Amino acid sequence: MRIAVLGGGHGCYAAAADLTEQGHEVRLWRRDVAAAAPILESREIHLLDERGRRPVRIAMATGDIGHAIRDAELVLIPLPATAQADVARAMAPHLTDGQVVFLPPGTFGSVVMPGWVKAAGSTADVTWAETGTLPYLARKRGPADVAITIRAVRLPTGVYPANRADRALAV
């Protein structure tokens, strides 16, 4: 699956590395290009977990949100609620019909982000999903390093609109 991971925090790096290792094509977008320079240059995140430390080469690292989102089936935004309005405005012109936008943690982002995206001019018909927390207990340990100490196995997930829950959960 093609997955866009938006952001540069603990959960973003953890998701990018973990989902890449699960066989997905991951594109990581980070707004702060200077802070992302080590990953932009190498496309590697150094992951430390129960299997040890290793480099994980992601498909794309970019400062261009449009490149990250293009043709992504899943747009994953593991950022705090305080970043959601800015990200909604930045991604709005690039969303396309059929995409699933997943917010872990959501903090009711699946309720407010559709309005922000629409106000920014998007007419894309997307499905919104959220959980109450990140699926990882993770910490960045350097500009291209992340440690995952725990992976959640069951996270209740809300979907908006609710009649698309089966499709969103499948993605």
Side-chain angles (χ1 to χ4, degrees), residues 50-161:
E50 71 282 356
R51 293 178 22 216
R53 186 178 189 277
R54 62 203 172 277
V56 177
R57 188 166 176 85
I58 61 175
M60 177 194 298
T62 182
D64 183 330
I65 196 168
H67 285 157
I69 291 176
R70 185 174 297 121
D71 299 322
E73 297 160 77
L74 175 64
V75 179
L76 178 60
I77 310 173
L79 291 171
T82 56
Q84 289 175 353
D86 288 341
V87 171
R89 286 188 290 273
M91 74 177 176
H94 309 288
L95 292 171
T96 58
D97 290 350
Q99 290 177 313
V100 174
V101 178
F102 179 46
L103 304 156
T107 320
F108 297 106
S110 64
V111 175
V112 295
M113 284 189 87
W116 292 329
V117 165
K118 185 176 180 180
S122 178
T123 59
D125 185 19
V126 302
T127 301
W128 304 86
E130 69 177 68
T131 59
T133 189
L134 286 171
Y136 308 98
L137 179 56
R139 285 290 173 249
K140 287 172 44 182
R141 294 190 169 183
D145 295 72
V146 67
I148 298 176
T149 52
I150 295 175
R151 288 175 176 84
V153 292
R154 289 191 58 163
L155 284 176
T157 303
V159 177
Y160 176 78

